[in-house]
Amino acid sequence: MTETASPSPFASTADPLACVPDSPLCFQDVSLRFGARTLLDSISFTLRPGETRILLGLAGMGKSVLLKLANGLIRPDSGEIFLFGQSIATMPEPALLNLRRRTGMIFQESALFDSLTVRDNVAWQLIERGISNEVIDRRVHRALSFVDLDDTFSLYPPSLSGGMRRRVSIARAIIDKPDLILYDSPTGGLDPVTSHTINELVIKERDAYKTPAILVTHRLQDAFTMVTHRFDHDANAMVPLPRGSFDPLTSFMVLHESHLLFDGSTDELLSSKDPFLKDFLA
Ligand SMILES: Nc1ncnc2c1ncn2[C@@H]1O[C@H](COP(=O)(O)OP(=O)(O)OP(=O)(O)O)[C@@H](O)[C@H]1O
Ligand SMILES: [Mg+2]
């Protein structure tokens, strides 16, 4: 089928939840059950180009599952998921693989191969595609420099701290300049100082490349760091935005009891009257 023969999934409509034409990721009425439990019930949202969406929710609400749905690692029971404008809910695996390659995923547990060097972990996708060693080495050095870990090139993951492992997995996710980044709790289990470094890296990536992203976090403090800071390249550090202003391209979603309880800006979140949200934010 040619492109022009297929109807656009993004037909113009007044529906505020409809996907926009250049949306990197869009969920429409997505539901998923595990056994008797409906984990996600009719989830709809649209990520726009350049946007970062912070996904909050209590443990077990399905945040990691939502990220895996986003790149087709889990398939929904019903609804549509558009990744880079293509419907992936029932897309065959080989075609999906090509789209998944355009996404960078930072798994909740870093998911590095302990038996491979940092170089091979970071280069994993490029090695699979048969890219030359010389090009791979150059790109691994560049990705590791971005996360300030170039000196770990030849080391093995077990010799790294938890924070370093997380940074290596960020290097792996960004090495191929992804069109979408899915961060699953990148600061989970880390101490505040190390979390600061990871937050700074996420903000650096956001502000340097404007790659659309979904970021799951358990820590409200990290979420608010994301919206109240920008990356200053001259200082090579994140710096606070003027008091009371928030990054306009970073917004929030809250998943609660199978539903998307909230999807909106920082201002809207802070002024929400919803009793659960008020409690959650307090
Ligand atoms: N492949 C699977 N098969 C069956 N149940 C699953 C599967 N994956 C996840 N679940 C269940 O779905 C629920 C949500 O899991 P998920 O990992 O998405 O939660 P989460 O919101 O990321 O939690 P946390 O904040 O602890 O990371 C859990 O009860 C989990 O056991
Ligand atoms: Mg999780």
Short mmCIF file of all heavy atoms in Angstrom, two decimals, residues 132-199:
data_model
loop_
_atom_site.label_atom_id
_atom_site.label_comp_id
_atom_site.label_asym_id
_atom_site.label_seq_id
_atom_site.Cartn_x
_atom_site.Cartn_y
_atom_site.Cartn_z
N SER A 132 31.14 -0.26 11.37
CA SER A 132 32.57 -0.56 11.55
C SER A 132 33.05 -0.19 12.96
O SER A 132 32.53 0.74 13.58
CB SER A 132 33.41 0.19 10.53
OG SER A 132 33.50 1.55 10.90
N ASN A 133 34.07 -0.91 13.42
CA ASN A 133 34.61 -0.68 14.77
C ASN A 133 35.11 0.73 14.97
O ASN A 133 34.96 1.32 16.03
CB ASN A 133 35.76 -1.66 15.05
CG ASN A 133 35.20 -3.00 15.50
OD1 ASN A 133 34.14 -3.05 16.11
ND2 ASN A 133 35.92 -4.07 15.19
N GLU A 134 35.71 1.27 13.90
CA GLU A 134 36.26 2.62 14.01
C GLU A 134 35.15 3.64 14.28
O GLU A 134 35.26 4.49 15.17
CB GLU A 134 36.97 2.93 12.69
CG GLU A 134 37.91 4.09 12.76
CD GLU A 134 38.37 4.47 11.36
OE1 GLU A 134 38.35 3.63 10.45
OE2 GLU A 134 38.73 5.66 11.20
N VAL A 135 34.06 3.50 13.52
CA VAL A 135 32.93 4.43 13.70
C VAL A 135 32.31 4.20 15.08
O VAL A 135 31.98 5.15 15.79
CB VAL A 135 31.87 4.22 12.57
CG1 VAL A 135 30.61 5.02 12.86
CG2 VAL A 135 32.47 4.62 11.23
N ILE A 136 32.16 2.93 15.44
CA ILE A 136 31.57 2.62 16.75
C ILE A 136 32.39 3.26 17.87
O ILE A 136 31.85 3.92 18.75
CB ILE A 136 31.46 1.09 16.95
CG1 ILE A 136 30.33 0.53 16.09
CG2 ILE A 136 31.22 0.75 18.43
CD1 ILE A 136 30.12 -0.95 16.19
N ASP A 137 33.70 3.07 17.82
CA ASP A 137 34.54 3.61 18.90
C ASP A 137 34.36 5.13 19.02
O ASP A 137 34.23 5.66 20.11
CB ASP A 137 36.02 3.29 18.64
CG ASP A 137 36.34 1.84 18.94
OD1 ASP A 137 35.47 1.15 19.51
OD2 ASP A 137 37.46 1.39 18.61
N ARG A 138 34.33 5.79 17.87
CA ARG A 138 34.19 7.24 17.89
C ARG A 138 32.86 7.65 18.52
O ARG A 138 32.79 8.53 19.37
CB ARG A 138 34.28 7.77 16.45
CG ARG A 138 34.66 9.23 16.38
CD ARG A 138 35.04 9.68 14.98
NE ARG A 138 34.01 9.39 13.99
CZ ARG A 138 34.22 8.69 12.87
NH1 ARG A 138 35.40 8.20 12.61
NH2 ARG A 138 33.24 8.48 12.00
N ARG A 139 31.80 6.92 18.13
CA ARG A 139 30.48 7.30 18.64
C ARG A 139 30.32 6.93 20.10
O ARG A 139 29.65 7.63 20.87
CB ARG A 139 29.39 6.68 17.76
CG ARG A 139 29.42 7.36 16.39
CD ARG A 139 28.43 6.82 15.43
NE ARG A 139 27.07 7.03 15.90
CZ ARG A 139 26.00 6.61 15.24
NH1 ARG A 139 26.14 5.98 14.09
NH2 ARG A 139 24.80 6.83 15.70
N VAL A 140 30.93 5.82 20.53
CA VAL A 140 30.85 5.45 21.95
C VAL A 140 31.59 6.50 22.79
O VAL A 140 31.09 6.93 23.83
CB VAL A 140 31.43 4.04 22.20
CG1 VAL A 140 31.55 3.76 23.70
CG2 VAL A 140 30.56 2.97 21.55
N HIS A 141 32.74 6.93 22.31
CA HIS A 141 33.48 7.96 23.06
C HIS A 141 32.63 9.22 23.19
O HIS A 141 32.57 9.83 24.25
CB HIS A 141 34.80 8.29 22.36
CG HIS A 141 35.89 7.29 22.66
ND1 HIS A 141 36.31 7.00 23.94
CD2 HIS A 141 36.64 6.51 21.84
CE1 HIS A 141 37.27 6.09 23.89
NE2 HIS A 141 37.48 5.77 22.63
N ARG A 142 31.95 9.58 22.09
CA ARG A 142 31.14 10.79 22.13
C ARG A 142 29.98 10.63 23.12
O ARG A 142 29.71 11.51 23.94
CB ARG A 142 30.60 11.11 20.73
CG ARG A 142 30.25 12.59 20.58
CD ARG A 142 29.59 12.92 19.25
NE ARG A 142 30.26 12.35 18.10
CZ ARG A 142 29.62 11.87 17.02
NH1 ARG A 142 28.31 11.89 16.96
NH2 ARG A 142 30.29 11.38 16.02
N ALA A 143 29.31 9.47 23.09
CA ALA A 143 28.16 9.24 23.99
C ALA A 143 28.63 9.19 25.44
O ALA A 143 27.99 9.73 26.35
CB ALA A 143 27.45 7.95 23.61
N LEU A 144 29.79 8.54 25.67
CA LEU A 144 30.29 8.45 27.05
C LEU A 144 30.76 9.82 27.55
O LEU A 144 30.60 10.14 28.74
CB LEU A 144 31.43 7.44 27.15
CG LEU A 144 31.01 5.96 27.12
CD1 LEU A 144 32.23 5.05 27.09
CD2 LEU A 144 30.12 5.60 28.31
N SER A 145 31.29 10.63 26.65
CA SER A 145 31.71 11.97 27.08
C SER A 145 30.48 12.78 27.48
O SER A 145 30.53 13.57 28.42
CB SER A 145 32.42 12.72 25.95
OG SER A 145 33.58 12.03 25.62
N PHE A 146 29.37 12.58 26.75
CA PHE A 146 28.14 13.31 27.08
C PHE A 146 27.73 13.05 28.53
O PHE A 146 27.26 13.94 29.23
CB PHE A 146 27.02 12.91 26.11
CG PHE A 146 25.77 13.73 26.27
CD1 PHE A 146 25.63 14.95 25.61
CD2 PHE A 146 24.73 13.30 27.08
CE1 PHE A 146 24.48 15.72 25.75
CE2 PHE A 146 23.58 14.07 27.24
CZ PHE A 146 23.45 15.28 26.57
N VAL A 147 27.91 11.80 28.98
CA VAL A 147 27.52 11.48 30.37
C VAL A 147 28.73 11.54 31.31
O VAL A 147 28.68 11.06 32.44
CB VAL A 147 26.82 10.09 30.46
CG1 VAL A 147 25.55 10.08 29.63
CG2 VAL A 147 27.76 8.96 30.03
N ASP A 148 29.84 12.09 30.78
CA ASP A 148 31.04 12.31 31.58
C ASP A 148 31.64 11.02 32.14
O ASP A 148 32.03 10.93 33.29
CB ASP A 148 30.71 13.28 32.74
CG ASP A 148 31.93 14.07 33.17
OD1 ASP A 148 32.93 14.02 32.44
OD2 ASP A 148 31.89 14.70 34.24
N LEU A 149 31.68 9.99 31.28
CA LEU A 149 32.20 8.69 31.73
C LEU A 149 33.14 8.08 30.71
O LEU A 149 33.24 6.85 30.62
CB LEU A 149 31.03 7.70 31.94
CG LEU A 149 30.32 7.71 33.29
CD1 LEU A 149 29.31 6.58 33.32
CD2 LEU A 149 31.30 7.56 34.44
N ASP A 150 33.84 8.91 29.95
CA ASP A 150 34.67 8.36 28.89
C ASP A 150 35.75 7.40 29.41
O ASP A 150 36.17 6.48 28.72
CB ASP A 150 35.30 9.50 28.07
CG ASP A 150 35.69 9.02 26.68
OD1 ASP A 150 35.13 7.99 26.25
OD2 ASP A 150 36.55 9.66 26.06
N ASP A 151 36.14 7.62 30.68
CA ASP A 151 37.21 6.76 31.23
C ASP A 151 36.72 5.35 31.58
O ASP A 151 37.51 4.51 32.00
CB ASP A 151 37.84 7.44 32.46
CG ASP A 151 36.81 7.90 33.46
OD1 ASP A 151 35.60 7.90 33.12
OD2 ASP A 151 37.19 8.27 34.59
N THR A 152 35.42 5.07 31.40
CA THR A 152 34.94 3.71 31.72
C THR A 152 34.87 2.83 30.47
O THR A 152 34.42 1.69 30.53
CB THR A 152 33.53 3.75 32.35
OG1 THR A 152 32.61 4.25 31.36
CG2 THR A 152 33.48 4.62 33.58
N PHE A 153 35.32 3.34 29.34
CA PHE A 153 35.20 2.67 28.03
C PHE A 153 35.49 1.16 28.08
O PHE A 153 34.74 0.35 27.56
CB PHE A 153 36.16 3.37 27.06
CG PHE A 153 36.04 2.95 25.62
CD1 PHE A 153 35.16 3.58 24.75
CD2 PHE A 153 36.85 1.93 25.12
CE1 PHE A 153 35.08 3.22 23.42
CE2 PHE A 153 36.77 1.56 23.79
CZ PHE A 153 35.88 2.21 22.93
N SER A 154 36.60 0.79 28.75
CA SER A 154 37.00 -0.62 28.72
C SER A 154 36.61 -1.39 29.98
O SER A 154 36.97 -2.56 30.13
CB SER A 154 38.53 -0.71 28.57
OG SER A 154 38.94 0.05 27.47
N LEU A 155 35.90 -0.75 30.88
CA LEU A 155 35.52 -1.42 32.14
C LEU A 155 34.28 -2.29 31.93
O LEU A 155 33.60 -2.19 30.91
CB LEU A 155 35.25 -0.39 33.24
CG LEU A 155 36.39 0.56 33.59
CD1 LEU A 155 35.98 1.51 34.71
CD2 LEU A 155 37.65 -0.23 33.99
N TYR A 156 34.01 -3.13 32.96
CA TYR A 156 32.81 -3.97 32.94
C TYR A 156 31.80 -3.42 33.95
O TYR A 156 32.21 -2.91 35.02
CB TYR A 156 33.17 -5.42 33.28
CG TYR A 156 33.90 -6.10 32.14
CD1 TYR A 156 35.28 -5.94 31.97
CD2 TYR A 156 33.20 -6.86 31.20
CE1 TYR A 156 35.94 -6.53 30.90
CE2 TYR A 156 33.85 -7.46 30.13
CZ TYR A 156 35.23 -7.29 29.98
OH TYR A 156 35.87 -7.87 28.92
N PRO A 157 30.49 -3.50 33.66
CA PRO A 157 29.48 -2.90 34.54
C PRO A 157 29.59 -3.27 36.02
O PRO A 157 29.37 -2.39 36.87
CB PRO A 157 28.16 -3.38 33.94
CG PRO A 157 28.47 -3.50 32.47
CD PRO A 157 29.89 -4.01 32.43
N PRO A 158 29.94 -4.50 36.41
CA PRO A 158 29.99 -4.79 37.84
C PRO A 158 30.99 -3.92 38.61
O PRO A 158 30.88 -3.78 39.82
CB PRO A 158 30.40 -6.27 37.90
CG PRO A 158 29.92 -6.83 36.61
CD PRO A 158 30.13 -5.73 35.60
N SER A 159 31.95 -3.33 37.90
CA SER A 159 32.91 -2.49 38.62
C SER A 159 32.43 -1.03 38.73
O SER A 159 33.16 -0.18 39.24
CB SER A 159 34.27 -2.54 37.93
OG SER A 159 34.18 -1.92 36.67
N LEU A 160 31.22 -0.75 38.26
CA LEU A 160 30.71 0.63 38.31
C LEU A 160 29.71 0.80 39.44
O LEU A 160 29.03 -0.15 39.84
CB LEU A 160 30.01 0.98 36.99
CG LEU A 160 30.79 0.78 35.69
CD1 LEU A 160 29.91 1.15 34.50
CD2 LEU A 160 32.06 1.62 35.70
N SER A 161 29.59 2.04 39.94
CA SER A 161 28.56 2.32 40.95
C SER A 161 27.19 2.36 40.27
O SER A 161 27.09 2.41 39.03
CB SER A 161 28.84 3.68 41.58
OG SER A 161 28.60 4.69 40.62
N GLY A 162 26.13 2.36 41.10
CA GLY A 162 24.77 2.39 40.56
C GLY A 162 24.54 3.62 39.68
O GLY A 162 23.92 3.53 38.62
N GLY A 163 25.06 4.77 40.12
CA GLY A 163 24.88 6.00 39.35
C GLY A 163 25.62 5.94 38.02
O GLY A 163 25.12 6.41 36.99
N MET A 164 26.82 5.35 38.04
CA MET A 164 27.59 5.22 36.79
C MET A 164 26.87 4.29 35.81
O MET A 164 26.80 4.55 34.61
CB MET A 164 29.00 4.71 37.09
CG MET A 164 29.87 5.73 37.81
SD MET A 164 31.30 4.95 38.60
CE MET A 164 32.53 5.09 37.34
N ARG A 165 26.29 3.22 36.35
CA ARG A 165 25.56 2.28 35.49
C ARG A 165 24.38 3.00 34.82
O ARG A 165 24.10 2.81 33.64
CB ARG A 165 25.06 1.07 36.29
CG ARG A 165 26.19 0.17 36.78
CD ARG A 165 25.67 -0.82 37.81
NE ARG A 165 24.73 -1.77 37.22
CZ ARG A 165 25.07 -2.95 36.74
NH1 ARG A 165 26.34 -3.34 36.77
NH2 ARG A 165 24.18 -3.75 36.24
N ARG A 166 23.72 3.83 35.60
CA ARG A 166 22.58 4.58 35.06
C ARG A 166 23.05 5.52 33.95
O ARG A 166 22.40 5.68 32.93
CB ARG A 166 21.94 5.36 36.20
CG ARG A 166 20.44 5.40 36.28
CD ARG A 166 19.73 4.08 36.16
NE ARG A 166 19.72 3.26 37.35
CZ ARG A 166 18.94 3.44 38.40
NH1 ARG A 166 18.09 4.43 38.42
NH2 ARG A 166 18.99 2.62 39.43
N ARG A 167 24.24 6.13 34.16
CA ARG A 167 24.75 7.05 33.13
C ARG A 167 25.16 6.27 31.88
O ARG A 167 24.96 6.74 30.76
CB ARG A 167 25.93 7.85 33.69
CG ARG A 167 25.46 9.02 34.56
CD ARG A 167 26.42 9.36 35.65
NE ARG A 167 27.67 9.92 35.19
CZ ARG A 167 28.76 10.05 35.96
NH1 ARG A 167 28.73 9.63 37.23
NH2 ARG A 167 29.85 10.57 35.49
N VAL A 168 25.72 5.06 32.07
CA VAL A 168 26.07 4.24 30.90
C VAL A 168 24.79 3.91 30.13
O VAL A 168 24.76 3.95 28.89
CB VAL A 168 26.80 2.95 31.33
CG1 VAL A 168 26.91 1.98 30.15
CG2 VAL A 168 28.19 3.27 31.87
N SER A 169 23.71 3.62 30.86
CA SER A 169 22.49 3.25 30.13
C SER A 169 21.90 4.47 29.41
O SER A 169 21.27 4.33 28.37
CB SER A 169 21.50 2.50 31.01
OG SER A 169 20.79 3.35 31.82
N ILE A 170 22.15 5.68 29.94
CA ILE A 170 21.73 6.88 29.20
C ILE A 170 22.58 7.02 27.93
O ILE A 170 22.07 7.30 26.84
CB ILE A 170 21.81 8.14 30.09
CG1 ILE A 170 20.74 8.06 31.19
CG2 ILE A 170 21.63 9.42 29.25
CD1 ILE A 170 20.76 9.20 32.18
N ALA A 171 23.89 6.77 28.07
CA ALA A 171 24.77 6.84 26.88
C ALA A 171 24.29 5.85 25.81
O ALA A 171 24.25 6.16 24.62
CB ALA A 171 26.22 6.55 27.28
N ARG A 172 23.92 4.65 26.26
CA ARG A 172 23.44 3.64 25.30
C ARG A 172 22.15 4.11 24.61
O ARG A 172 21.95 3.90 23.42
CB ARG A 172 23.18 2.31 26.02
CG ARG A 172 22.65 1.24 25.09
CD ARG A 172 22.51 -0.10 25.77
NE ARG A 172 21.60 -0.05 26.90
CZ ARG A 172 21.38 -1.06 27.71
NH1 ARG A 172 22.02 -2.21 27.53
NH2 ARG A 172 20.53 -0.95 28.71
N ALA A 173 21.28 4.76 25.40
CA ALA A 173 19.99 5.19 24.84
C ALA A 173 20.14 6.32 23.82
O ALA A 173 19.34 6.45 22.91
CB ALA A 173 19.05 5.61 25.96
N ILE A 174 21.18 7.16 24.01
CA ILE A 174 21.28 8.34 23.12
C ILE A 174 22.29 8.16 21.99
O ILE A 174 22.41 9.05 21.16
CB ILE A 174 21.65 9.62 23.92
CG1 ILE A 174 23.01 9.46 24.60
CG2 ILE A 174 20.55 9.97 24.93
CD1 ILE A 174 23.62 10.76 25.08
N ILE A 175 23.00 7.02 21.97
CA ILE A 175 24.12 6.91 21.02
C ILE A 175 23.67 7.06 19.57
O ILE A 175 24.41 7.59 18.73
CB ILE A 175 24.91 5.60 21.21
CG1 ILE A 175 26.20 5.67 20.38
CG2 ILE A 175 24.08 4.37 20.85
CD1 ILE A 175 27.22 4.64 20.72
N ASP A 176 22.46 6.64 19.27
CA ASP A 176 22.01 6.69 17.89
C ASP A 176 21.10 7.88 17.63
O ASP A 176 20.27 7.84 16.73
CB ASP A 176 21.28 5.37 17.54
CG ASP A 176 21.62 4.93 16.13
OD1 ASP A 176 22.56 5.49 15.54
OD2 ASP A 176 20.92 4.04 15.62
N LYS A 177 21.25 8.94 18.44
CA LYS A 177 20.41 10.14 18.31
C LYS A 177 18.94 9.77 18.15
O LYS A 177 18.34 9.95 17.07
CB LYS A 177 20.88 11.00 17.13
CG LYS A 177 22.26 11.58 17.31
CD LYS A 177 22.43 12.79 16.43
CE LYS A 177 23.80 13.41 16.43
NZ LYS A 177 24.76 13.06 17.41
N PRO A 178 18.34 9.24 19.20
CA PRO A 178 16.95 8.76 19.07
C PRO A 178 15.97 9.89 18.82
O PRO A 178 16.25 11.05 19.11
CB PRO A 178 16.69 8.12 20.44
CG PRO A 178 17.61 8.82 21.37
CD PRO A 178 18.84 9.14 20.57
N ASP A 179 14.82 9.51 18.28
CA ASP A 179 13.75 10.48 18.03
C ASP A 179 12.78 10.55 19.20
O ASP A 179 11.86 11.36 19.21
CB ASP A 179 12.99 10.10 16.75
CG ASP A 179 13.90 10.17 15.54
OD1 ASP A 179 14.71 11.12 15.45
OD2 ASP A 179 13.84 9.26 14.68
N LEU A 180 12.97 9.64 20.17
CA LEU A 180 12.13 9.61 21.37
C LEU A 180 12.93 8.91 22.45
O LEU A 180 13.56 7.89 22.18
CB LEU A 180 10.85 8.82 21.08
CG LEU A 180 9.94 8.50 22.26
CD1 LEU A 180 9.27 9.77 22.79
CD2 LEU A 180 8.85 7.49 21.86
N ILE A 181 12.91 9.46 23.67
CA ILE A 181 13.60 8.79 24.78
C ILE A 181 12.58 8.43 25.85
O ILE A 181 11.73 9.25 26.22
CB ILE A 181 14.71 9.67 25.39
CG1 ILE A 181 15.69 10.14 24.31
CG2 ILE A 181 15.48 8.89 26.46
CD1 ILE A 181 16.87 10.94 24.84
N LEU A 182 12.67 7.19 26.33
CA LEU A 182 11.78 6.70 27.39
C LEU A 182 12.65 6.43 28.61
O LEU A 182 13.46 5.49 28.61
CB LEU A 182 11.07 5.42 26.93
CG LEU A 182 10.29 5.54 25.61
CD1 LEU A 182 9.87 4.16 25.10
CD2 LEU A 182 9.08 6.45 25.78
N TYR A 183 12.53 7.29 29.61
CA TYR A 183 13.33 7.13 30.83
C TYR A 183 12.47 6.47 31.89
O TYR A 183 11.46 7.04 32.31
CB TYR A 183 13.72 8.49 31.40
CG TYR A 183 14.64 9.36 30.59
CD1 TYR A 183 14.14 10.39 29.81
CD2 TYR A 183 16.03 9.23 30.68
CE1 TYR A 183 14.98 11.25 29.11
CE2 TYR A 183 16.88 10.09 29.98
CZ TYR A 183 16.35 11.09 29.20
OH TYR A 183 17.18 11.95 28.52
N ASP A 184 12.86 5.29 32.37
CA ASP A 184 12.09 4.65 33.44
C ASP A 184 12.83 4.82 34.76
O ASP A 184 13.82 4.14 35.02
CB ASP A 184 11.85 3.16 33.13
CG ASP A 184 10.74 2.58 34.00
OD1 ASP A 184 10.29 3.28 34.94
OD2 ASP A 184 10.31 1.44 33.73
N SER A 185 12.35 5.72 35.58
CA SER A 185 12.88 5.96 36.93
C SER A 185 14.40 6.04 36.93
O SER A 185 15.07 5.26 37.63
CB SER A 185 12.44 4.85 37.88
OG SER A 185 11.07 4.61 37.77
N PRO A 186 14.99 6.98 36.17
CA PRO A 186 16.45 7.00 36.06
C PRO A 186 17.17 7.30 37.37
O PRO A 186 18.35 6.99 37.49
CB PRO A 186 16.72 8.10 35.03
CG PRO A 186 15.51 8.95 35.02
CD PRO A 186 14.36 8.05 35.36
N THR A 187 16.46 7.86 38.36
CA THR A 187 17.13 8.13 39.64
C THR A 187 16.71 7.14 40.72
O THR A 187 17.12 7.28 41.87
CB THR A 187 16.82 9.56 40.14
OG1 THR A 187 15.40 9.67 40.34
CG2 THR A 187 17.29 10.62 39.19
N GLY A 188 15.90 6.15 40.36
CA GLY A 188 15.42 5.18 41.35
C GLY A 188 16.57 4.50 42.07
O GLY A 188 17.51 4.03 41.45
N GLY A 189 16.52 4.48 43.39
CA GLY A 189 17.53 3.78 44.18
C GLY A 189 18.84 4.53 44.32
O GLY A 189 19.79 4.00 44.89
N LEU A 190 18.93 5.75 43.79
CA LEU A 190 20.19 6.49 43.88
C LEU A 190 20.13 7.53 45.01
O LEU A 190 19.07 8.02 45.35
CB LEU A 190 20.49 7.20 42.56
CG LEU A 190 20.60 6.30 41.32
CD1 LEU A 190 20.85 7.14 40.08
CD2 LEU A 190 21.72 5.27 41.49
N ASP A 191 21.30 7.87 45.53
CA ASP A 191 21.35 8.88 46.59
C ASP A 191 21.10 10.27 45.97
O ASP A 191 21.19 10.43 44.75
CB ASP A 191 22.71 8.83 47.30
CG ASP A 191 23.83 9.13 46.33
OD1 ASP A 191 24.02 10.31 46.00
OD2 ASP A 191 24.50 8.18 45.86
N PRO A 192 20.79 11.27 46.80
CA PRO A 192 20.44 12.60 46.27
C PRO A 192 21.53 13.23 45.40
O PRO A 192 21.22 13.86 44.39
CB PRO A 192 20.20 13.44 47.53
CG PRO A 192 19.84 12.45 48.58
CD PRO A 192 20.60 11.20 48.26
N VAL A 193 22.80 13.05 45.77
CA VAL A 193 23.87 13.67 44.99
C VAL A 193 23.95 13.04 43.60
O VAL A 193 24.04 13.74 42.58
CB VAL A 193 25.22 13.56 45.74
CG1 VAL A 193 26.35 14.09 44.87
CG2 VAL A 193 25.16 14.30 47.06
N THR A 194 23.88 11.71 43.56
CA THR A 194 23.94 11.03 42.27
C THR A 194 22.69 11.33 41.45
O THR A 194 22.76 11.52 40.23
CB THR A 194 24.09 9.51 42.48
OG1 THR A 194 25.11 9.29 43.45
CG2 THR A 194 24.45 8.80 41.21
N SER A 195 21.55 11.41 42.13
CA SER A 195 20.30 11.76 41.43
C SER A 195 20.43 13.13 40.77
O SER A 195 19.95 13.34 39.65
CB SER A 195 19.12 11.80 42.40
OG SER A 195 18.92 10.53 42.95
N HIS A 196 21.08 14.04 41.46
CA HIS A 196 21.29 15.39 40.92
C HIS A 196 22.03 15.30 39.57
O HIS A 196 21.67 15.96 38.60
CB HIS A 196 22.08 16.22 41.94
CG HIS A 196 22.44 17.59 41.47
ND1 HIS A 196 21.68 18.70 41.79
CD2 HIS A 196 23.46 18.03 40.70
CE1 HIS A 196 22.23 19.77 41.22
NE2 HIS A 196 23.32 19.40 40.57
N THR A 197 23.08 14.46 39.55
CA THR A 197 23.87 14.30 38.31
C THR A 197 23.00 13.74 37.19
O THR A 197 23.08 14.18 36.03
CB THR A 197 25.04 13.31 38.56
OG1 THR A 197 25.71 13.75 39.74
CG2 THR A 197 25.99 13.26 37.41
N ILE A 198 22.15 12.76 37.52
CA ILE A 198 21.30 12.16 36.49
C ILE A 198 20.27 13.18 36.00
O ILE A 198 20.05 13.32 34.78
CB ILE A 198 20.57 10.90 37.05
CG1 ILE A 198 21.59 9.84 37.50
CG2 ILE A 198 19.60 10.32 36.02
CD1 ILE A 198 22.38 9.18 36.41
N ASN A 199 19.66 13.91 36.93
CA ASN A 199 18.68 14.94 36.52
C ASN A 199 19.33 15.96 35.59
O ASN A 199 18.74 16.39 34.60
CB ASN A 199 18.13 15.68 37.75
CG ASN A 199 17.21 14.80 38.56
OD1 ASN A 199 16.61 13.87 38.04
ND2 ASN A 199 17.11 15.08 39.85
#
